[in-house]
Amino acid sequence: MRLHPLTSLAAAGSTAVITTAAASLPLSLAVMGAAVVLSARGGTARRLLPAAAAVLLPLGLSLLVMHGLFFPEGRTVLAQWGVARVTAEGLAFAMERAAQLGAVVLALLVFSFSVSVPDLVAVLSSRGVHGRFAFVLASTLTLLPAITSRVERIRQAQESRGLVVRRGLLHRAAAFRLQAVPLVLSLIEDAGTRTAALEARGFSNPGPRTSYRDVPDPRGQRMLRAALLAAAAAAVAARLLLTQAGS
């Protein structure tokens, strides 16, 4: 059964909200594992995992440095260099936050790499969302998959012209510099092409709109979306109540 775009969006959003509100390491790890499994079954793991690593590695390292070395509540000191202290509590806190962030990023990336942009635009337009805003929203959600695919094509084109990427951080950084320029230029050119296409299709014109795409929305999925949104709201409310009770 193919999921409705709004159902996929509700599932990804509610998963991110519930995981953030729960702040539980086992739950975050379970969500990360489920996201990887779903991505593998959907055939998007080869594109999703590098994109997730590009987002999570710098954020995870910053969390490790910030909380692992400078955690005021830390008591079990493992190593110390002046004011910087590596504490067991700081490392545990950094790991929990990194896993929580990883679960949110992976959940949203699974949605971004699997959703059909034309279906999403058609659904949002049918719900009364302005056509231009619906297209911008859908493009934003799928921007990272589009950039990943574009980078892969640029890399293949450069390798066919004799570019050899050697092992090592410096060589990869140099190769990235050579790929970044055509990537940015192609994205700018693509933005201009898309703008002209939107104007030709009358996206900026007011008035009612119709779409030739008919996206089925079964009653069961509508009920599932309502349940997901209710679960997310309940998780946030429970988190707020626990915070107030603790204070």
Side-chain angles (χ1 to χ4, degrees):
M1 180 182 63
R2 185 176 180 84
L3 288 179
H4 190 273
L6 293 183
T7 304
S8 300
L9 180 59
S14 62
T15 299
V17 171
I18 293 173
T19 305
T20 303
S24 169
L25 180 59
L27 177 60
S28 299
L29 295 177
V31 170
M32 293 176 65
V36 172
V37 170
L38 289 175
S39 176
R41 293 186 61 182
T44 60
R46 293 185 61 182
R47 294 183 296 134
L48 181 141
L49 293 179
V55 174
L56 294 175
L57 282 179
L59 294 177
L61 290 176
S62 65
L63 287 173
L64 182 62
V65 171
M66 182 182 302
H67 299 296
L69 298 179
F70 306 99
F71 192 68
E73 290 82 5
R75 296 293 181 266
T76 307
V77 180
L78 303 178
Q80 185 169 359
W81 302 276
V83 296
R85 301 181 309 153
V86 179
T87 62
E89 292 82 3
L91 292 177
F93 186 83
M95 183 180 297
E96 290 177 0
R97 291 298 174 266
Q100 181 179 334
L101 181 63
V104 172
V105 170
L106 284 173
L108 295 178
L109 284 180
V110 168
F111 167 74
S112 298
F113 277 87
S114 61
V115 69
S116 171
V117 176
D119 287 347
L120 181 60
V121 173
V123 168
L124 292 177
S125 299
S126 67
R127 297 298 195 279
V129 180
H130 193 274
R132 184 182 293 272
F133 178 76
F135 183 83
V136 170
L137 178 60
S139 300
T140 302
L141 291 172
T142 57
L143 180 62
L144 192 55
I147 291 178
T148 303
S149 177
R150 187 69 58 87
V151 169
E152 180 66 19
R153 292 199 299 269
I154 292 174
R155 182 188 64 79
Q156 292 176 354
Q158 290 180 339
E159 288 181 349
S160 67
R161 293 181 175 91
L163 176 65
V164 178
V165 181
R166 301 177 182 176
R167 293 185 177 181
L169 183 61
L170 294 179
H171 293 289
R172 292 185 180 276
F176 176 76
R177 179 181 62 82
L178 295 175
Q179 295 170 359
V181 174
L183 173 63
V184 173
L185 293 178
S186 64
L187 290 176
I188 294 175
E189 180 182 3
D190 186 62
T193 304
R194 288 174 181 266
T195 300
L198 291 177
E199 291 296 334
R201 288 168 173 79
F203 264 60
S204 59
N205 295 337
R209 311 187 63 85
T210 58
S211 175
Y212 73 93
R213 301 186 70 90
D214 183 19
V215 184
D217 189 11
R219 183 172 180 271
Q221 293 201 32
R222 295 197 299 270
M223 295 176 62
L224 176 60
R225 290 199 297 270
L228 290 171
L229 295 177
V236 173
R239 183 66 180 180
L240 293 176
L241 291 176
L242 289 176
T243 302
Q244 292 178 356
S247 61

